Amino acid sequence: MAKVAAGPEIQRLIQLLARLPGLGPRSARRAALHLVKKKEQLLEPLTSALAETRDTILTCDACGNIDTQSPCTLCRDQARDRSLICVVEEVGDLWALERAGVLNGLYHVLGGTLSPLDGVGPDDLAIAKLIARASDPNVKEVLLALNATVEGQSTAHYLMDQLAGANVAVSRLAHGVPIGGELDYLDEGTLAAAVKARKPM
Ligand SMILES: [Zn+2]
């Protein structure tokens, strides 16, 4: 058995940190050591930030975003364009789009994608809620910003069928060559999608 250099409390901290996305056991050990060394500057504020998050975090009843109030800050913001709903798989996708600052509409977080093999059906995602929101006469467009994966795209097709009854335009993100991307490095799927979606200059 490997010798352990630290007591069970530190071991537990390392094990918990190692469960975070992007952190393996090695980086978890480094992070734990860093936290312990920076007790006042980092460990204490982090502890209170975690406790505060645990006590205040909510899922927005309207859109599925994570915030400390429901409806969330985005849903409450009257400056946002209420005629556009952008559908995403996860809250992380919503955050990514907000960071890009390109959309001024509202969002709808599905909570995943349809995946019959994993037992994820329409009732497991926030689809009924989306259809209800899309039926609001103020809503003119639903943008399906789902991942360019097989599951993401089949979910987009399913949603397109479901939204046929609502009086909205349904759009999806363009697929193509990423900004700064070199053709030589792209996979065939991306390249094929970019050629198919070509535009006149
Ligand atoms: Zn919301």
Side-chain angles (χ1 to χ4, degrees):
M1 211 181 112
K3 284 188 186 161
V4 284
E9 295 81 7
I10 308 271
Q11 287 301 326
R12 176 153 170 74
L13 174 63
I14 295 171
Q15 280 166 7
L16 287 170
L17 287 170
R19 286 200 212 160
L20 295 174
L23 287 192
R26 187 187 152 85
S27 35
R29 276 195 300 274
R30 292 180 60 190
L33 194 56
H34 191 71
L35 284 169
V36 172
K37 275 193 200 160
K38 305 259 174 197
K39 193 176 168 189
E40 268 136 55
Q41 304 99 304
L42 200 55
L43 183 57
E44 278 166 14
L46 181 67
T47 309
S48 14
L50 287 172
E52 210 177 299
T53 307
R54 178 200 60 205
D55 294 341
T56 54
I57 206 80
L58 285 174
T59 299
C60 174
D61 271 331
C63 75
N65 186 19
I66 288 175
D67 203 346
T68 52
Q69 52 181 1
S70 172
C72 70
T73 311
L74 295 181
C75 285
R76 278 169 198 253
D77 183 354
Q78 290 303 320
R80 297 190 79 99
D81 177 3
R82 278 158 202 280
S83 73
L84 170 67
I85 295 178
C86 175
V87 181
V88 293
E89 289 174 24
E90 302 290 352
V91 173
D93 304 328
L94 184 165
W95 288 359
L97 285 163
E98 275 301 292
R99 275 201 307 277
V102 282
L103 278 170
N104 190 37
L106 300 178
Y107 289 92
H108 191 85
V109 181
L110 283 181
T113 46
L114 294 172
S115 178
L117 287 177
D118 302 313
V120 183
D123 293 342
D124 301 307
L125 305 174
I127 292 180
K129 228 179 211 178
L130 171 66
I131 309 302
R133 289 182 75 193
S135 309
D136 183 318
N138 292 321
V139 177
K140 303 281 179 260
E141 180 182 356
V142 173
L143 164 58
L144 302 174
L146 303 182
N147 289 337
T149 55
V150 175
E151 294 80 18
Q153 294 311 297
S154 57
T155 304
H157 280 120
Y158 178 84
L159 292 178
M160 221 142 65
D161 290 343
Q162 296 296 306
L163 287 163
N167 192 21
V168 288
V170 182
S171 53
R172 68 166 173 81
L173 294 182
H175 301 308
V177 181
I179 303 294
E182 294 179 38
L183 297 194
D184 202 15
Y185 288 96
L186 294 183
D187 65 280
E188 289 78 13
T190 303
L191 211 47
V195 171
K196 249 169 95 181
R198 65 184 178 275
K199 288 190 178 132
M201 290 185 73

